[in-house]
Amino acid sequence: MKKQTKYLIGIGALIIILVAAVFVYNAQKTTSFKKVVTDKINVNEVSTIYITQRSSGVEVTQDEIKIEDREEINKIIAEFDKLDLKNAHDGKIKFDPYTYNIQIYVNKEARFGIDIYNKMNISLYDSSKTKNRLRDYSASNAEIISRMENYFK
């Protein structure tokens, strides 16, 4: 009976360790825009945000706006800060009719690049890194895409 109790305790401990490992693994796969971008810069030092809209139709067009207004920069950053990101490694991205490229300049130097392909796919580029500068994520971008579209109406 004592051997059976030891086996049950051992199996119980193994199950607890496996469940904890799964939670840790899944926690590493998700992050937030705030952790990836905003926590690495002083938002008050963001000098300019460039937003480029590209069409992906037969006739490719491209429009760009430059935002330097402090209040508008803060609104854009706050909107992105709401994003929860999940690591994505899917090479098959379906493009929306318009894609957006956002460049964040800190103290007049390009610091972060954001590419929004559709309502679920986003790429972040960190110019300060020497490795893994570009990361692909999935996120619910519908509100941000609506905001970007408003700049080009």
Side-chain angles (χ1 to χ4, degrees), residues 76-88:
I76 292 170
I77 298 290
E79 193 73 35
F80 276 103
D81 276 348
K82 297 176 188 174
L83 284 181
D84 289 323
L85 306 173
K86 184 174 183 179
N87 288 334

Side-chain angles (χ1 to χ4, degrees), residues 25 44 55 82-83 85 92 125 147 152:
Y25 177 74
N44 294 323
S55 70
K82 297 176 188 174
L83 284 181
L85 306 173
K92 299 176 185 175
Y125 177 82
R147 185 169 191 70
F152 295 94

